[in-house]
Amino acid sequence: MLAVIWLSWKVKKSRNINATPPPGPCGLPLVGYLPFLGTHLHRKFTELGEVYGPIYKLWLGNKLCVVVSSPSLAKEVVRDNDTVFANRDTSIAARVITHDANDIGWCPYGAKWRKLRKIFVGKMMSNASLDACYTLRKREIKNTIRDVYSNRIGKAVDIGELSTATSINVVQNMLWGASFELGQKGTNLGVDLRKMLAELMVLLGTPNLSDIFPVLSWLDIQGIERKTKHILAWFEKILYSAIEQRTNAVNDEQQDFLQFLLELKGT
């Protein structure tokens, strides 16, 4: 039985390869190289790059993965031929946090992605938008300095936490024209946001058995889907609150990014 499964897996793998693949380590039937990766992927990939060169392949389950580990190849992938490599397999964690890949980071390249990019660059990151927020950024930095000077003399100051709170204020003002106080309330939100973002980055980067073996996805063995849904609910609570306040506002003439999205949704 195992021999039949192994043979069918090899046949399927050979049919999926349309060109000569790069060299790479041998794996085991069904699981590929997965048992040998370990927990420090960057170190393992570096070791394999020293053996097989700047580009090599390895099988994770029934998925063929190609690793590039040189600046010139990375430049060719992400810049010179970016549209060719734009589409990728979306992990379960990414699908959860982006509502089934409906964002600019994970949406497949095409008309929808170009529209999202046009909105993001034109309305959020254009030179005109950034120049218009110069006074806002300057004011928030002054508020941070004033808060430290007035309330935190003689106390330990977490610079990372403080800078995160300041950045949140700036981004919130750009998005929906509101910010939180830099006192205890603001600090707690900054701490929670840093914690949630750090946890989200770990979940997005953690190899998930449910991605490698989709038949096991309903089990959520590592709990990645459950944890990502918890983070999504936390983010949505903040966003929905801002949307509700804006839609319930009377004679609100703010023309920030949120107002633009609401008007776009209504057209």
Side-chain angles (χ1 to χ4, degrees), residues 139-149 162 166 182:
R139 185 189 69 199
E140 293 297 341
I141 292 175
K142 284 185 176 181
N143 289 341
T144 301
I145 296 173
R146 187 180 301 112
D147 175 73
V148 173
Y149 183 77
L162 201 64
T166 305
L182 283 175

Side-chain angles (χ1 to χ4, degrees), residues 104-169:
I104 195 173
W106 294 96
C107 180
Y109 180 77
K112 181 179 179 179
W113 182 88
R114 289 191 292 269
K115 181 179 180 180
L116 291 174
R117 181 182 182 276
K118 181 179 179 180
I119 293 173
F120 179 72
V121 174
K123 296 297 182 178
M124 188 69 183
M125 300 302 296
S126 66
N127 291 333
S129 298
L130 295 177
D131 290 342
C133 294
Y134 170 77
T135 303
L136 166 66
R137 297 195 299 272
K138 185 176 181 180
R139 185 189 69 199
E140 293 297 341
I141 292 175
K142 284 185 176 181
N143 289 341
T144 301
I145 296 173
R146 187 180 301 112
D147 175 73
V148 173
Y149 183 77
S150 303
N151 304 320
R152 307 193 186 190
I153 293 179
K155 302 178 181 178
V157 177
D158 188 330
I159 298 299
E161 179 181 304
L162 201 64
S163 61
T164 300
T166 305
S167 301
I168 294 172
N169 280 339

Side-chain angles (χ1 to χ4, degrees), residues 14-25:
S14 62
R15 290 177 178 175
N16 289 338
I17 300 175
N18 297 321
T20 302

Side-chain angles (χ1 to χ4, degrees), residues 7-250:
L7 180 61
S8 62
W9 175 73
K10 292 289 289 185
V11 171
K12 181 180 179 181
K13 183 174 71 171
S14 62
R15 290 177 178 175
N16 289 338
I17 300 175
N18 297 321
T20 302
C26 297
L28 299 175
L30 301 180
V31 295
Y33 198 74
L34 190 62
F36 310 108
L37 281 182
T39 56
H40 301 287
L41 295 183
H42 59 293
R43 295 179 182 175
K44 175 57 68 173
F45 287 162
T46 301
E47 294 174 3
L48 293 174
E50 294 173 352
V51 176
Y52 297 100
I55 179 171
Y56 58 90
K57 75 175 190 307
L58 66 160
W59 287 91
L60 300 181
N62 63 347
K63 291 191 175 183
L64 174 63
C65 301
V66 177
V67 180
V68 295
S69 57
S70 72
S72 59
L73 285 175
K75 172 177 173 290
E76 185 173 349
V77 169
V78 302
R79 195 183 75 174
D80 298 343
N81 295 287
D82 56 334
T83 56
V84 176
F85 296 97
N87 297 336
R88 67 203 68 142
D89 286 342
T90 307
S91 65
I92 290 178
R95 288 201 299 271
V96 169
I97 203 66
T98 61
H99 293 282
D100 200 19
N102 277 305
D103 79 324
I104 195 173
W106 294 96
C107 180
Y109 180 77
K112 181 179 179 179
W113 182 88
R114 289 191 292 269
K115 181 179 180 180
L116 291 174
R117 181 182 182 276
K118 181 179 179 180
I119 293 173
F120 179 72
V121 174
K123 296 297 182 178
M124 188 69 183
M125 300 302 296
S126 66
N127 291 333
S129 298
L130 295 177
D131 290 342
C133 294
Y134 170 77
T135 303
L136 166 66
R137 297 195 299 272
K138 185 176 181 180
R139 185 189 69 199
E140 293 297 341
I141 292 175
K142 284 185 176 181
N143 289 341
T144 301
I145 296 173
R146 187 180 301 112
D147 175 73
V148 173
Y149 183 77
S150 303
N151 304 320
R152 307 193 186 190
I153 293 179
K155 302 178 181 178
V157 177
D158 188 330
I159 298 299
E161 179 181 304
L162 201 64
S163 61
T164 300
T166 305
S167 301
I168 294 172
N169 280 339
V170 173
V171 172
Q172 283 191 133
N173 273 278
M174 293 177 66
L175 290 175
W176 56 74
S179 65
F180 55 79
E181 296 297 328
L182 283 175
Q184 186 67 25
K185 179 181 177 182
T187 302
N188 287 340
L189 181 57
V191 171
D192 291 341
L193 182 60
R194 286 179 62 195
K195 179 181 177 181
M196 290 294 182
L197 288 175
E199 185 177 350
L200 177 60
M201 292 301 103
V202 171
L203 293 174
L204 290 172
T206 300
N208 189 357
L209 289 175
S210 297
D211 294 321
I212 300 172
F213 302 102
V215 69
L216 302 176
S217 60
W218 66 277
L219 293 173
D220 192 21
I221 296 174
Q222 297 165 257
I224 291 180
E225 183 175 3
R226 172 179 51 82
K227 295 175 182 177
T228 307
K229 286 181 178 179
H230 172 71
I231 295 176
L232 176 63
W234 189 87
F235 281 125
E236 287 184 338
K237 182 178 179 181
I238 297 175
L239 295 175
Y240 288 158
S241 176
I243 293 173
E244 183 178 2
Q245 291 179 18
R246 177 58 57 84
T247 54
N248 293 336
V250 180

